Amino acid sequence: MASRFGPSALHQRDPRSSLFENYTGDKKSRPSSHSPARPNGSYGYSGSSGSVPVNDGFRPATPNRKGQYSDAVLSELESQNDDQVEGMSARVKMLKDITIAIGDEIRDSSKLADKMNDSFDNTRVRLKGTMNRMLRMAERTGVGWRVWLGFFAAVILLFWYVWLF
């Protein structure tokens, strides 16, 4: 079996290859594969030279008769896995950034809503105090509050008329 990393048994101790450790390799227990035929029982490479791919560079990722995968297949699968992990981590980072931005927006909106609520509450208290003082003033003069309200409405309409025309 040809490997660009040299002979190594490190992949057998790798926990990622434990997925294949119970594989028996008998063809009766698994359905037939639709992959191209392997010449001379190799993994897409002819003979012992190991440098010329067969079938236009296609190398099936299937184990040999002993259930072992070549170093090149394991390396290719690991690089594909690393690519997928990088893509997923980029998506997770993007989602994290969006989530943080949403959280910041919610906190800012909550602060603004609290400020507006306090402002409206202060305005309500001021208007209530102003109305109470106006009612007390109307009681002291003996003129009803409706008359005072009409007077203030007339003054406001006068200012409005002068301002527009």
Side-chain angles (χ1 to χ4, degrees):
M1 141 172 64
S3 171
R4 56 184 178 176
F5 303 114
S8 172
L10 290 178
H11 71 277
Q12 293 173 352
R13 289 182 280 168
D14 191 32
R16 290 174 284 200
S17 64
S18 65
L19 174 67
F20 310 114
E21 67 187 3
N22 294 332
Y23 179 73
T24 60
D26 58 342
K27 293 185 179 184
K28 295 175 187 173
S29 66
R30 66 184 180 108
S32 64
S33 172
H34 295 291
S35 62
R38 287 178 261 154
N40 299 333
S42 67
Y43 283 63
Y45 291 104
S46 62
S48 62
S49 65
S51 62
V52 179
V54 180
N55 297 331
D56 296 327
F58 180 77
R59 181 178 59 239
T62 55
N64 62 9
R65 291 182 183 128
K66 296 178 183 178
Q68 299 171 339
Y69 288 84
S70 69
D71 289 338
V73 169
L74 289 175
S75 175
E76 179 66 24
L77 290 174
E78 186 174 347
S79 68
Q80 289 175 3
N81 187 30
D82 290 341
D83 292 341
Q84 292 293 324
V85 167
E86 287 175 10
M88 288 178 66
S89 61
R91 289 184 190 124
V92 167
K93 183 183 181 322
M94 181 180 64
L95 287 173
K96 180 182 175 186
D97 292 342
I98 290 171
T99 305
I100 289 172
I102 289 172
D104 292 342
E105 184 65 31
I106 289 172
R107 277 189 288 280
D108 292 343
S109 297
S110 295
K111 287 178 186 176
L112 179 63
D114 288 340
K115 286 180 183 178
M116 287 177 62
N117 191 25
D118 292 342
S119 177
F120 282 125
D121 192 42
N122 289 338
T123 303
R124 183 186 57 83
V125 169
R126 284 183 181 172
L127 283 175
K128 186 176 179 181
T130 302
M131 187 66 177
N132 286 338
R133 284 193 301 272
M134 190 175 85
L135 289 175
R136 273 185 274 151
M137 181 182 71
E139 287 176 6
R140 282 190 221 144
T141 59
V143 179
W145 67 273
R146 290 185 181 122
V147 175
W148 283 109
L149 186 61
F151 174 73
F152 286 122
V155 169
I156 290 172
L157 284 174
L158 180 67
F159 281 120
W160 182 69
Y161 179 76
V162 170
W163 179 58
L164 287 179
F165 302 110

